[in-house]
Amino acid sequence: MLQCLILELEMVFSWLNLLAKFGFSDVTGIDYSPSAIQLSGSIIEKEGLSNIKLKVEDFLNPSTKLSGFHICIDKGTFDAISLNPDNAIEKRKQYVESLSRVLKVKGFFLITSCNWTKEELLDEFSEGFELFEELPTPKFSFGGRSGNSVAALVFQKT
């Protein structure tokens, strides 16, 4: 049985419900906000998805119970932490350390970021993780140059 951890601020619906509907039987969603967990819980209850666990957790200081995951998905948490005006560099390092603690060796980390490029994310997660795959994202062109407005990468814990 695969354990999947969803790291998502304001995680209402999204990955949790999708994975549960696709048959993942051990899905955990976390948020530091009790009200976000409560709102997500009410939506999950309406959907009848009993295979999702929700926990109030600060991912920068996770409890010891938050461990052993095969997959970790982040759609916005790393971006939000990176924008913190109080020592963002240290908080990014804490994030990578927490990620390393909660994931099993050879576990996968999927990140979608609108604030970081592929190259920057490769640098941020260079210790303990290797790029497994780059996921396709929409491209745009402006002034003769093209690029992506979003980076979506899959890392594997080494």
Side-chain angles (χ1 to χ4, degrees):
M1 170 172 33
L2 292 178
Q3 287 188 330
C4 184
L5 172 66
I6 308 295
L7 296 177
E8 197 170 341
L9 297 173
E10 301 172 10
M11 66 183 157
V12 176
F13 199 70
S14 69
W15 285 108
L16 291 170
N17 298 40
L18 184 63
L19 290 170
K21 286 178 181 177
F22 278 119
F24 279 78
S25 58
D26 195 358
V27 179
T28 301
I30 67 168
D31 199 298
Y32 67 92
S33 167
S35 58
I37 293 294
Q38 185 177 24
L39 179 57
S40 294
S42 65
I43 292 171
I44 287 167
E45 187 177 316
K46 284 180 191 173
E47 294 284 322
L49 300 170
S50 60
N51 53 341
I52 297 174
K53 291 179 263 180
L54 299 174
K55 296 181 180 181
V56 176
E57 286 273 355
D58 175 2
F59 190 67
L60 295 181
N61 299 295
S63 70
T64 56
K65 293 178 185 177
L66 202 65
S67 65
F69 289 93
H70 295 92
I71 302 168
C72 182
I73 302 173
D74 180 332
K75 186 184 71 67
T77 302
F78 187 72
D79 285 349
I81 288 168
S82 300
L83 296 172
N84 190 319
D86 299 324
N87 203 0
I89 293 170
E90 182 58 34
K91 288 187 181 352
R92 291 195 314 262
K93 287 179 185 175
Q94 277 182 271
Y95 179 99
V96 175
E97 290 169 6
S98 294
L99 180 62
S100 188
R101 281 197 309 266
V102 302
L103 265 182
K104 288 184 173 225
V105 173
K106 300 289 184 192
F108 293 98
F109 169 55
L110 291 73
I111 184 168
T112 303
S113 174
C114 59
N115 293 348
W116 295 87
T117 65
K118 173 187 174 182
E119 292 73 22
E120 291 169 327
L121 289 170
L122 288 172
D123 187 53
E124 290 290 321
F125 295 95
S126 63
E127 293 202 24
F129 297 91
E130 60 184 26
L131 181 64
F132 183 79
E133 188 169 341
E134 179 178 10
L135 303 175
T137 58
K139 294 191 180 302
F140 70 93
S141 294
F142 181 77
R145 296 185 57 136
S146 63
N148 299 67
S149 58
V150 175
L153 304 176
V154 179
F155 288 93
Q156 188 169 31
K157 183 179 173 184
T158 55

